[in-house]
Amino acid sequence: MQSFENSPQILAVKEVLRELFLSMGEGLKNAFVSFYEWLKSVPLPVPPTMLKLFSNNKANLIIFFLFAAYVIFINIRTFSLFAVDKKHAVKKRGRVPESKLFKHIWLGGAPGAALAMLIYRHKTHHKNFTVTVMILLVIQLVLFSFVLGFLGFWTFF
């Protein structure tokens, strides 16, 4: 008796799927090669054009300090919300809604939330908080350092 895996129908389906995946792989390869060739042909902006964008030191200074102030404010606010929520949790009083905590974390307060979670040991057993805060912490630290470093370079040098 012939096994089911070696039946002519199964072998034909396997061959069709193999050909399909090979052609899809070839199509993806061609798409990436075409995209790479197009990307090589795109002209890059010349440095003097780029310098014109950031030549106003006063505007750069204002943007730098406004962004830095926002980052500091949102992190202090997030830290204080976690502290208040922990205090209310211990005293069994009205709590800060989790949606409000998440909103502040997403708006740039992940460093403040991570610090509050570390100091107060609050929300550390909630997987959705620990995972979200740690992922956004990395993303926001990279973003903040890039933006502040970029603006600081054009402002102070």
Side-chain angles (χ1 to χ4, degrees), residues 2 8 18 24 32 35 38 41 46 64 77 88-89 95 108 113 128 130 146 154:
Q2 187 176 6
R18 184 178 157 286
M24 285 174 48
F32 280 119
F35 177 72
W38 172 80
S41 69
V46 291
F64 176 82
R77 174 94 170 126
H88 287 191
R95 304 281 301 271
N128 56 349
T130 54
F146 175 74
W154 287 105

Side-chain angles (χ1 to χ4, degrees), residues 50-68:
M50 290 173 48
L51 289 175
K52 286 181 188 177
L53 293 174
F54 300 99
S55 62
N56 189 343
N57 280 345
K58 188 173 182 178
N60 288 337
L61 190 66
I62 291 169
I63 294 169
F64 176 82
F65 282 115
L66 284 175
F67 188 76

Side-chain angles (χ1 to χ4, degrees), residues 122-150:
H122 188 53
K123 300 286 188 189
T124 55
H125 293 289
H126 294 88
K127 292 275 191 230
N128 56 349
F129 270 96
T130 54
V131 171
T132 303
V133 167
M134 291 307 135
I135 290 172
L136 288 177
L137 174 69
V138 171
I139 292 170
Q140 288 175 11
L141 287 178
V142 169
L143 180 70
F144 295 160
S145 63
F146 175 74
V147 171
L148 289 173
F150 182 74

Side-chain angles (χ1 to χ4, degrees), residues 82-125:
F82 270 80
V84 166
D85 192 41
K86 176 65 175 189
K87 183 179 174 184
H88 287 191
V90 169
K91 293 186 178 185
K92 298 193 183 337
R93 294 196 300 181
R95 304 281 301 271
V96 177
E98 287 188 354
S99 61
K100 189 172 188 177
L101 294 174
F102 271 120
K103 181 176 78 171
H104 281 78
I105 292 168
W106 278 97
L107 290 175
L115 188 62
M117 289 173 73
L118 183 67
I119 291 173
Y120 295 110
R121 300 196 186 285
H122 188 53
K123 300 286 188 189
T124 55
H125 293 289

Side-chain angles (χ1 to χ4, degrees), residues 19-75:
E19 291 297 323
L20 176 70
F21 285 124
L22 287 175
S23 64
M24 285 174 48
E26 190 65 33
L28 281 173
K29 178 184 168 193
N30 291 338
F32 280 119
V33 167
S34 299
F35 177 72
Y36 177 72
E37 293 299 323
W38 172 80
L39 196 58
K40 284 191 335 187
S41 69
V42 173
L44 294 174
V46 291
T49 307
M50 290 173 48
L51 289 175
K52 286 181 188 177
L53 293 174
F54 300 99
S55 62
N56 189 343
N57 280 345
K58 188 173 182 178
N60 288 337
L61 190 66
I62 291 169
I63 294 169
F64 176 82
F65 282 115
L66 284 175
F67 188 76
Y70 172 76
V71 168
I72 291 168
F73 169 77
I74 195 70
N75 282 289

